[in-house]
Amino acid sequence: MRSFLSRDERISTRSVIDATGVCCAFGYGTLAYLAGQAGEPELMTFYGIVIWTATPVFFLFLYLVHRDEPISLGRLFFWAIVFRLCGLLSGPFYEDDFYRYLWDGYRFWEAGTPYGTAPEAFFLDQSVPAALQETLHQINNPDLPTIYGPTTQLLFLLGFLLNAGNVSVLQGLLILVDLAILYLLTRLTPARNVMLYAWCPLVIKEIAFTAHPDSLGVCLLLAAIVLATKEREGLAAVCLGFAVGAKLFALALVPFVLCRARPRHWIYFVATVGLLYAPFLITGATDLDSFIVFVQKWEFNASIYALLSLVVPSTTAKLLLGVLYGAFFIYWLRVHVREDTLIPRGDWIFAALFVAAPVFNAWYMLWVLPFAAIYPSRWAWTASVALLLSYITGLHLGDYEMQAYAQPLWARLAEFGLIATALLWDMQRNYSKNQ
């Protein structure tokens, strides 16, 4: 169809793309300015900017699909970089996890391991450099050792070596990782689909502004999938090992990527994970210690778990949801093998995991959205906006009668209500198509 478009029509399409880019750049530039001021952006202002930046991207995608028009890789990456530079020029807001990243990098360099000792053990330690003293006292849950995996710790160590205690360095490194994700996605789906991820407000906020390191695991997971599609299962298995070393979430897709691999490729995967963990196991501690505490005690922004735990004990709720997720997982694995699909439905696999879990942080969607670019759906991209409502907490509302991370009931109902509505819309349309 594109070959029959006039020159003026093609120029018009490029103008629409650039106009969308300018509109979003203004939004992210405004957010960067506000985040750089004393305090943090007002919640209503933040959500206004999210709507301002998300809406034109969704309409542009529909426009390109309707006209069967592509978006050039040059424009895709140019505007993606502009948006991310806004985050780099600013700094994190609504989050303080980055203090832990900076501290882990320091402890990795000083002790040879970031594990085993909680930050609070150093509160009175005068040997801690001045540049890390403020960082140390800003760490949340300082009574717990770090929960981040060995692959991610290597990134934190690199950040420390480049500029100790500087979150901008980690932001820059993770932006490069995110751009690698964009490149990998262009190998798996058309560029206009990639635009949904590349220009997504949640992605830009959680990576470029806030420096959440989940993107490292996602990048390695996508690299494994690209390699597997080229029948390079050995390298794919190694990438999967590093992805699991970044975050245990990656385990959910390992059987899907290696389902046709030979036994030696599984050995490569296990060996990679083993080599990553071995140096820390020798010292007696890994991220798994705090991960177990996290699984046992944390609850935030839960959906199905929150409802189920109202009628049964929390342990029973976790066990029941674990069994249900296991059945769902086996079902999708059988479908994946039977249909001989090269790219797994990571959107469903990860989304089901997070919906069943006691914790569903907004940045967990970074594991879902690359697959939602490959398999576009209304529910996933609605979730990319709705999950940002999880920042409506007692802390950010300034409501001292609420606990810091408590959420108003109306906010959680709005969040998951929007997602459920979009999911039902998708289901209805799919049903209509199949009639």
Side-chain angles (χ1 to χ4, degrees), residues 6 8 20 57 62 97 171 186 203 213 252 270 342 394 401 414:
S6 70
D8 288 341
T20 303
V57 173
L62 295 175
D97 288 348
Q171 288 174 272
T186 63
V203 172
V270 173
L342 292 177
E401 295 182 359

Side-chain angles (χ1 to χ4, degrees), residues 221 224-225 228 233 236 240 253-261 336 342 344:
L221 181 59
I225 292 171
E233 285 87 356
L240 284 174
L253 281 200
V254 171
F256 291 85
V257 180
L258 295 183
C259 62
R260 302 173 191 85
H336 179 75
L342 292 177

